[in-house]
Every structure is written in C-alpha cells, then in structure tokens.
Amino acid sequence: EIVMTQSPVTLSVSPGERATLSCRASQSVDSNLAWYQQKPGLAPRLLIYDSSTRATGIPARFSGSGSGTEFTLTISSLQSEDFAVYFCQQNNHWPPAFGQGTKVEI
Amino acid sequence: EVQLLESGGGLVQPGGSLRLSCAASEFTFSSYAMSWVRQAPGKGLEWVSAISGSSSFTYYADSVKGRFTISRDNSKNTLYLQMNSLRAEDTAIYYCARPPQPAAIRAEYFPLWGQGTLVTVSS
C-alpha cells in the first residue's frame, strides 16, 4: 500500500500571505493526486485533481503541482475562509490513500 | 440537487453491529462505483470499502476485511455498509463518496461526499 506523508502538520500564516503545503508518496503515483479542504463539522471538499486541475468552483488562488512522489498545494494569498485542514490523496494505486493532513491556521 | 445522505450511525457496544445507509439523489446511481471513507475524531481520512455499479466487485481496507460488508440496492439508489464485530477503533464519522465519472471500479478521487454519520463504539 502507498503511504502519503504531508508536511508540515501545522502551518501558521497570516491573511494575504502565501501558503505552501507538501505531500509525498511512498512510491510514484504519476499525476494521480488530489487535494481536499476540510472545515470543522463538514465533509471534505475537492480542490485539485490530477495534481494540478482545479475542481469546479475552486478559486484561482489554489494551485497544485508535482508528479511522481512529490506534490505541492499553493494558496497564493490566504483568505479568512481558507483556514482549514488540507488532505492529499493518491488515486493511482489500489487502495486510494490519504495523507494525515496539514492544518492551516492563523 | 446531486447529493448523498448518510444515516444509521449511533452508539454501539464493542462486538456489536450496525448498518449504515447512503441515499443518492439526482444522478444515475447504478452507473457509479461508490466508496465509504471514514474519519476518526480529530484524525485523517481512511478509505474503507468500495463497490462497483453492478455490485460485481467489492474491495475492503485490511482494517475492516472480514467484519464489514458493502452492498447496494440500485432500485432504491442506496448504498449500505454492514459493520459487524465493531471495535473501539472503528469509532469515526463515516462518509459515502462518489467518483467523478461513471466507470468501472478503480482508484479514484471524490468530488461528491455525503455529510457523514457518526459511529461510536463504546461500552
């Protein structure tokens, strides 16, 4: 099974700043990597799929990059509504696997 | 509106059983493979099980294999998860999730999630 490792565990940033989140796969997942945002009490929300494609309705300040084993989610200018937990997920190999999450906090 | 709505969670004693349901609406349910994903309190996401559109294929995480059974009733647009021999470590919010396209079952990402149902295993 593929293990997904996210870093950092917690990221402290100010509104308007840039946030960079990392996700590493234990073996290559090509570009089959998704990112989700989760706020307290809510289900995860798909942000990015295929490493860099924004899901429907996702603002352009969210961008994804990477392939193989190293991936990055960048939030170019943090808005108040972006403070949340972010998960990566590989969908290249069975079973689908999630990272443990990065909490973006003020 | 395209949506998924879980139900059936609750408090159950260790060793007990529970059946979760996920009602789908406003899409051709039978064409989609479906998954269950869970999240223990304050923890990350864990894929639990998946089933093909026709129920021909089912898959389970090692952590639940032999104890949980996924099924579906396409006439009722409903997905199920029968959970037996429950353990404290099964305590979690259980989400049903749908992949982006109707297709044969495969590892996928999930654009559509239900709101989740909480299962608590405790004496």
Side-chain angles (χ1 to χ4, degrees):
Chain A
E1 291 190 11
I2 293 180
V3 176
M4 307 300 293
T5 303
Q6 292 185 241
S7 62
V9 173
T10 304
L11 183 62
S12 298
V13 293
S14 299
E17 289 187 339
R18 182 186 191 93
T20 303
L21 289 66
S22 296
C23 176
R24 173 177 294 178
S26 60
Q27 65 186 81
S28 176
V29 297
D30 295 332
S31 293
N32 295 305
L33 192 286
W35 289 94
Y36 300 85
Q37 177 193 68
Q38 188 178 34
K39 296 180 179 179
L42 297 179
R45 173 195 182 196
L46 179 68
L47 298 176
I48 301 283
Y49 61 94
D50 293 346
S51 178
S52 61
T53 304
R54 278 189 300 277
T56 303
I58 302 303
R61 64 180 181 274
F62 292 92
S63 62
S65 64
S67 65
T69 62
E70 300 285 342
F71 299 88
T72 299
L73 174 69
T74 301
I75 311 171
S76 60
S77 178
L78 272 157
Q79 307 297 303
S80 58
E81 61 266 31
D82 300 335
F83 292 94
V85 179
Y86 293 83
F87 295 96
C88 62
Q89 180 225 329
Q90 70 83 18
N91 60 293
N92 194 61
H93 300 283
W94 202 269
F98 295 86
Q100 83 282 9
T102 291
K103 182 178 182 180
V104 176
E105 63 177 24
I106 300 175
Chain B
E1 180 187 357
V2 175
Q3 65 178 2
L4 301 169
L5 186 62
E6 301 93 337
S7 60
L11 175 63
V12 60
Q13 292 188 338
S17 298
L18 210 56
R19 189 177 84 154
L20 306 183
S21 299
C22 170
S25 55
E26 300 300 326
F27 66 93
T28 307
F29 179 68
S30 61
S31 296
Y32 288 81
M34 295 292 296
S35 282
W36 288 98
V37 177
R38 69 183 180 182
Q39 185 171 35
K43 302 297 184 182
L45 299 165
E46 179 189 17
W47 172 83
V48 171
S49 183
I51 186 169
S52 62
S54 63
S55 303
S56 298
F57 301 98
T58 58
Y59 297 90
Y60 299 93
D62 288 344
S63 57
V64 306
K65 199 172 294 182
R67 301 187 298 122
F68 289 12
T69 302
I70 190 171
S71 63
R72 63 193 297 162
D73 184 336
N74 287 340
S75 69
K76 296 181 178 179
N77 290 340
T78 303
L79 175 71
Y80 302 101
L81 187 66
Q82 177 67 43
M83 304 185 295
N84 299 332
S85 303
L86 281 161
R87 307 166 179 167
E89 54 265 35
D90 296 318
T91 294
I93 296 172
Y94 286 73
Y95 297 99
C96 59
R98 194 204 79 177
Q101 302 291 344
I105 192 169
R106 62 190 184 200
E108 270 289 12
Y109 59 91
F110 304 110
L112 183 64
W113 297 68
Q115 88 291 346
T117 187
L118 176 62
V119 173
T120 303
V121 184
S122 175
S123 55

